[in-house]
Amino acid sequence: MADRPFRWLRRPAASPRGLSYGADYNPEQWPPHIWRQDVEAMRRAGVTIVSLAIFSWARLQPAADRWTFEWLDEVMDLLHEGGIAVDLATATASPPPWLTAAYPEILPVDHEGRTLWPGGRQHWRPTSPVFREHALRLVRAMAERYGDHPALAAWHISNELGCHNAYDYSDDAAAAFRTWLRARYGTVEELNRAWATSFWSQQYGDWSEILPPRLAASFPNPTQQLDFRRFSSDALKEHLRAERDLLAELTPGIPVTTNFMVMGETRNMNYADWAGEVDFVSNDHYLLTGTQARDELSFSANLTGNLAGGRPWFLMEHSTSAVNWQPVNLAKPPGGLARDSLTHVAHGADAVCFFQWRQSAGGAEKYHSAMIPHAGTDSEVFRDVTDLGATLRALAPVAGTRRRPAQAAIVFDWDSWWAAELDSHPTSLLRYRQEALDWYSALTAAGIRVDVIPAGGQDDTSFDRYALLVAPILHVVPQDLADRLTRYATSGGHLVTTYFSGIVNEHDQVWLGGYPGALRDLLGIRIEEFAPLLDGERVELDLGVAGTLWTDRVEVTEEDVEIVARYTSGPQAGRAAVTRRRTGAGSAAYVSTRLGPDGLAPVLGRLLESAGVTGELPASLAGSVELTIRSGPDADYWFLINRTDDDVAVDGVEGEPILAPSLAKDLNLGPRQVCVLRRPAPENG
Ligand code: GAL
């Protein structure tokens, strides 16, 4: 994954490598006398780094030929004097009003042809040459001004690229899409074949006829939609590269990152493809609501850690308490702030930062929590923040250690996410990420450590280290991926896949001969027709659990296929619901319905047993404690995270507890508490 060599924050010579701690810092919202108070309070809280100037373009360049860096010079100097490092933004995230007034052609256009006007943020077309020129001018000015500043630890490109402007349907986008398609297909004839344009009279005669999938009279061509998603992710990646390459030329000694958004349903950027473009991976994550919210945080942190190739990564943003953008914004319960932060550290984060340092008095995010809330430093939040600072200091030995790979992995694939949820499908209710998260919850509840890994492509061996590989809704299976999975399962690996997997190739064209197409032979089953369920409909299985969303009329085609579970109600009653085929020393299993985290438990029990995967904690802790392991040259660090809101006594786990304010005082974990145990590194590494 990591094409660029890993480079962590630059730090002053001789300063020790620990975990970094801080926030987005937006001093332009406050008068200068507050800046001094800020630095003093940062020191009290244990802050070591801030992300600066993210939304400062208008303050740095108030007109095309006017630059006003003096205030930022002062802030950089103040931070440096206070011993606080800076992750300095290139400040290109939100263009100033003078720029969009002079060049309205940089504004994005939605699929209905409506302009997205200034007044919010990120109102720029990723493919606009005019925007690119002005953005790079600012990047150059920032690099020339601050490249040698002693506080500078890293460059922060733009901010959350694609958060609001991932899909632009403008004429600039149309032109860039054609260029991208030419590079992909070479000839219009090849594109016609890939897009199956003989359907509905869509055949193209010339590149100039091709458009982004703008509002159409009916379903737009699905391969056009899938390619537009791929193109849009690439267009933002091109912007990232353009800023990065200029920085690399001007300030080669400074590492470069940008904050990803591996969280929830944020799906527009293929981060598996982006991870190799930065010197270290950064992520923003906000806790969602609902029964799987905690597992969702862990899943996201886990995937981020694996996008980073197991190396340390930077948690660039999360919240101390409530956000301002959910329908109802809940404050975090006691211990919530620390548990959320430490779960990210458990999955490999070496820096823990919040949005933002000081809660804004005005503007759209004034009700979003911060490290210093409206109430000031005499507050529960600030005391928790200060405790966490002390905890992160005590956890310094963890810095630089890597994730220890688990025995089981869940394969996560952006192409399948995009394609499986396109319109005109058997059901519109299918949710790709939810199915993956359900498996994660089920494995975690069973006390099994699991990695969430990108499907990859280049690295033929990345699956091999896992005894069990779960590939939920792996919808897009090009021939080479089918070959990799087949090799995996026939050389001793235990593969599990689910409904709507193996269905199409990379052009979203169906593998013929019966489903699950590309995986049919490996699984030893054949399905002639899809059989989705209506919303609220349930079918029973003989394992005592119920399926929703989907069923399949599974025909077993090979003698060595074992029926792990059968339907006992609904249209498929009596037929196989879950199958498993022995493939030499390995196996290939198929789950034909959505079982949800609880319903997966008995199926998982069977699959884990045959794969020989066992928990590393005593069975009594399964479900209540999540385990992650970080490994260093001299020791392993076991993070035991209380997943529940109750007390949990940890018995039978050896190790030397690291004691610090926000960590459990002993092995009795209070609600939401975390403890970290130092243990000798295993002999075989
Ligand atoms: C992120 C963004 C921050 C802030 C935060 C609020 O999307 O990067 O600037 O808006 O969300 O949760």
Side-chain angles (χ1 to χ4, degrees):
M1 222 47 49
D3 305 328
R4 290 172 73 81
F6 172 76
R7 269 203 300 176
W8 189 243
L9 302 172
R10 187 186 70 154
R11 62 183 196 278
S15 79
R17 166 93 152 84
L19 300 177
S20 298
Y21 186 42
D24 282 11
Y25 182 37
N26 297 304
E28 63 270 50
Q29 296 176 19
W30 303 96
H33 73 273
I34 300 283
W35 304 346
R36 285 174 181 73
Q37 294 173 19
D38 282 336
V39 174
E40 188 274 323
M42 284 175 191
R43 290 176 63 87
R44 255 196 294 152
V47 164
T48 60
I49 191 164
V50 293
S51 296
L52 188 64
I54 291 176
F55 296 108
S56 302
W57 193 341
R59 280 290 287 269
L60 293 170
Q61 191 188 10
D65 290 314
R66 249 184 81 215
W67 298 90
T68 46
F69 283 115
E70 296 71 22
W71 68 273
L72 188 57
D73 297 348
E74 191 180 337
V75 174
M76 290 284 289
D77 292 348
L78 273 175
L79 288 164
H80 182 59
E81 282 157 28
I84 293 160
V86 175
D87 165 52
L88 186 60
T90 55
T92 56
S94 201
W98 64 260
L99 183 62
T100 48
Y103 305 101
E105 68 269 31
I106 73 172
L107 298 171
V109 175
D110 78 359
H111 82 297
E112 294 187 27
R114 297 176 301 191
T115 297
L116 304 182
W117 295 99
R121 64 176 176 185
Q122 217 176 56
H123 38 275
W124 51 273
R125 300 178 185 178
T127 57
S128 161
V130 179
F131 177 78
R132 182 74 54 85
E133 182 193 326
H134 286 271
L136 292 184
R137 203 170 153 223
L138 176 59
V139 174
R140 178 177 290 280
M142 293 292 280
E144 285 172 351
R145 185 109 185 163
Y146 300 110
D148 293 328
H149 197 286
L152 182 63
W155 288 114
H156 176 114
I157 290 185
S158 192
N159 189 60
E160 290 190 343
L161 285 162
C163 181
H164 311 287
N165 64 349
Y167 294 122
D168 165 44
Y169 298 79
S170 66
D171 290 344
D172 280 337
F177 188 36
R178 287 178 203 122
T179 305
W180 184 92
L181 290 167
R182 261 177 197 264
R184 185 173 175 87
Y185 295 112
T187 63
V188 177
E189 292 69 36
E190 201 47 49
L191 175 138
N192 278 320
R193 263 192 293 281
W195 286 17
T197 55
S198 45
F199 183 78
W200 280 353
S201 184
Q202 291 173 350
Q203 202 149 318
Y204 295 100
D206 188 84
W207 295 106
S208 61
E209 297 162 7
I210 301 171
L211 293 168
R214 292 175 176 161
L215 182 65
S218 66
F219 301 122
N221 180 303
T223 316
Q224 178 191 16
Q225 292 191 62
L226 180 59
D227 272 349
F228 189 66
R229 285 182 176 264
R230 292 169 171 149
F231 153 76
S232 298
S233 177
D234 280 359
L236 286 158
K237 188 176 73 177
E238 278 311 310
H239 183 84
L240 164 64
R241 283 180 169 167
E243 290 202 18
R244 181 204 63 197
D245 290 348
L246 183 54
L247 292 168
E249 177 196 323
L250 299 173
T251 60
I254 307 295
V256 174
T257 193
T258 191
N259 42 349
F260 295 174
M261 293 172 284
V262 177
M263 76 167 266
E265 291 293 316
T266 304
R267 72 184 66 194
N268 299 338
M269 283 63 63
N270 180 348
Y271 292 129
D273 179 48
W274 286 33
E277 302 289 341
V278 288
D279 292 324
F280 60 87
V281 166
S282 302
N283 196 46
D284 293 354
H285 185 275
Y286 289 92
L287 187 70
L288 300 170
T289 52
T291 50
Q292 282 172 279
R294 225 214 65 77
D295 289 343
E296 194 286 320
L297 183 153
S298 172
F299 179 97
S300 297
N302 191 322
L303 175 55
T304 305
N306 285 301
L307 290 171
R311 298 174 196 84
W313 54 278
F314 195 123
L315 176 65
M316 196 62 85
E317 293 181 23
H318 70 317
S319 68
T320 57
S321 193
V323 297
N324 67 311
W325 42 259
Q326 290 179 348
V328 177
N329 296 298
L330 303 179
K332 291 193 178 179
L337 178 156
R339 182 177 66 174
D340 292 351
S341 297
L342 294 171
T343 302
H344 290 288
V345 176
H347 284 286
D350 266 11
V352 169
C353 286
F354 293 101
F355 175 83
Q356 60 177 324
W357 165 248
R358 186 181 279 279
Q359 188 168 11
S360 308
E365 292 182 328
K366 58 183 174 296
Y367 298 122
H368 193 294
S369 60
M371 290 174 93
I372 298 189
H374 286 155
T377 51
D378 182 10
S379 60
E380 214 48 51
V381 165
F382 191 72
R383 280 185 282 278
D384 286 352
V385 155
T386 306
D387 273 1
L388 181 61
T391 298
L392 295 174
R393 275 198 300 283
L395 287 176
V398 168
T401 60
R402 291 181 170 218
R403 301 171 56 82
R404 176 174 288 286
Q407 294 170 273
I410 294 172
V411 176
F412 194 82
D413 180 48
W414 266 263
D415 258 4
S416 288
W417 193 359
W418 292 337
E421 295 187 24
L422 284 172
D423 52 38
S424 60
H425 272 195
T427 176
S428 57
L429 302 177
L430 176 147
R431 290 292 169 269
Y432 173 82
R433 198 181 197 258
Q434 183 62 48
E435 182 66 36
L437 178 59
D438 287 352
W439 283 90
Y440 191 77
S441 290
L443 281 154
T444 309
I448 304 297
R449 213 157 55 81
V450 55
D451 286 341
V452 186
I453 58 167
Q458 279 75 38
D459 183 2
D460 198 28
T461 60
S462 58
F463 296 156
D464 296 348
R465 64 156 64 126
Y466 298 103
L468 178 75
L469 195 67
V470 184
I473 317 184
L474 191 65
H475 186 65
V476 180
V477 180
Q479 187 61 54
D480 60 338
L481 182 55
D483 293 344
R484 279 176 70 204
L485 291 169
T486 303
R487 265 198 305 277
Y488 167 77
T490 51
S491 55
H494 295 271
L495 174 72
V496 184
T497 189
T498 73
Y499 59 94
F500 218 31
S501 295
I503 305 297
V504 295
N505 67 10
E506 63 275 30
H507 302 311
D508 198 35
Q509 293 194 15
V510 171
W511 290 104
L512 301 178
Y515 315 125
L519 303 175
R520 187 180 59 229
D521 290 344
L522 177 64
L523 293 162
I525 59 171
R526 183 168 176 271
I527 296 157
E528 291 183 22
E529 273 194 291
F530 297 121
L533 298 173
L534 293 171
D535 200 9
E537 203 180 347
R538 287 159 55 91
V539 288
E540 310 292 329
L541 274 64
D542 58 4
L543 291 175
V545 296
T548 59
L549 184 78
W550 197 280
T551 63
D552 280 314
R553 198 180 155 80
V554 175
E555 193 190 318
V556 170
T557 55
E558 300 294 335
E559 275 175 8
D560 48 4
V561 173
E562 169 201 356
I563 295 179
V564 176
R566 285 181 193 274
Y567 290 106
T568 56
S569 73
Q572 322 304 339
R575 286 184 167 270
V578 179
T579 60
R580 180 174 166 272
R581 181 180 187 197
R582 269 186 206 293
T583 48
S587 66
Y590 183 74
V591 180
S592 65
T593 183
R594 175 169 185 225
L595 293 169
D598 297 337
L600 284 172
V603 174
L604 205 50
R606 299 284 303 276
L607 299 172
L608 289 167
E609 200 186 315
S610 35
V613 173
T614 51
E616 290 147 298
L617 289 179
S620 59
L621 298 176
S624 43
V625 174
E626 175 187 349
L627 169 70
T628 73
I629 305 177
R630 293 188 60 167
S631 276
D634 309 320
D636 269 7
Y637 296 89
W638 282 35
F639 285 72
L640 302 170
I641 305 164
N642 184 349
R643 294 170 82 222
T644 76
D645 293 332
D646 303 313
D647 291 321
V648 176
V650 175
D651 292 321
V653 187
E654 304 276 300
E656 173 202 343
I658 296 182
L659 298 177
S662 11
L663 292 172
K665 296 281 170 287
D666 50 33
L667 291 186
N668 288 313
L669 300 178
R672 296 176 283 277
Q673 252 185 338
V674 177
C675 78
V676 181
L677 299 176
R678 191 196 324 255
R679 294 164 48 104
E683 273 175 19
N684 57 8

